[in-house]
Structures are given as structure tokens and as C-alpha cells.
Amino acid sequence: LVRVAKSHLFLTIAMKRSGFDPKPPAKPKIHLSVMPRMWWDAMFATHGCIVDTSVRNAFQAKYAKATFFPYICHEPGAPAVPPGCERALTEMAAC
């Protein structure tokens, strides 16, 4: 996604298992990549994206339960990993 985006990405990503997924510890069948927001932010940061906080805040104010992920990509000097996300991504998956 980052490779083909000119500058912005706007995604909606499932933050919880689908009601059609089997109960843990069985592996999900619908929402296969459920991870915390911090994990997604760190994943996109490793590809040169930063969170567009003004867009995120505006949408969260209007749609509190929605899971919007707006990013600005290819910003010069964007940090490899955002502050507070220094742990390896594989460690974050266990959060």
C-alpha cells in the first residue's frame, strides 16, 4: 500500500474478532490480522508513514466506534518507529 500511495493512506482495520470467527484459542477465519492500533502505527512507521492525527481525531470525534487509520507516507525525516513503540513489532503482537 505504501509503495503505491502518493502521500496519504486512509484505512479501516478491524480491531476485534468477527462474530463469525471461532472463539480463542482457535485461529480466526474472518479477521485474520487483528492487532492493536499501536502495532499498526508502528508497522506503517517502518515504511515511512506517520499518523495523521488531525484526521484521526476529527473522525474519532464523529464516529467514536470506528477504527480509522489515516497516515501520511513518504514524509522526509519520518521516524522509523513512533515514540513509545520502540519494542520490536513481534513483541507488540503479544500486547
Side-chain angles (χ1 to χ4, degrees):
L1 291 173
V2 174
R3 183 177 55 81
V4 298
K6 291 194 184 246
S7 65
H8 289 77
L9 287 173
F10 187 86
L11 310 164
T12 57
I13 300 173
M15 299 290 291
K16 63 181 182 174
R17 284 177 169 243
S18 166
F20 296 104
D21 280 332
K23 301 291 181 213
K27 291 188 176 196
K29 296 181 187 269
I30 306 294
H31 292 165
L32 303 177
S33 55
V34 174
M35 295 291 185
R37 182 178 293 278
M38 182 186 247
W39 186 90
W40 288 106
D41 290 348
M43 179 62 72
F44 280 98
T46 63
H47 296 282
C49 300
I50 58 173
V51 176
D52 189 336
T53 53
S54 62
V55 171
R56 180 182 282 178
N57 293 342
F59 273 89
Q60 282 185 330
K62 189 167 183 167
Y63 307 101
K65 292 186 179 183
T67 53
F68 297 115
F69 289 77
Y71 297 103
I72 302 169
C73 300
H74 309 294
E75 284 288 308
V81 178
C85 299
E86 290 83 12
R87 294 182 296 161
L89 292 174
T90 53
E91 290 178 34
M92 296 175 87
C95 295

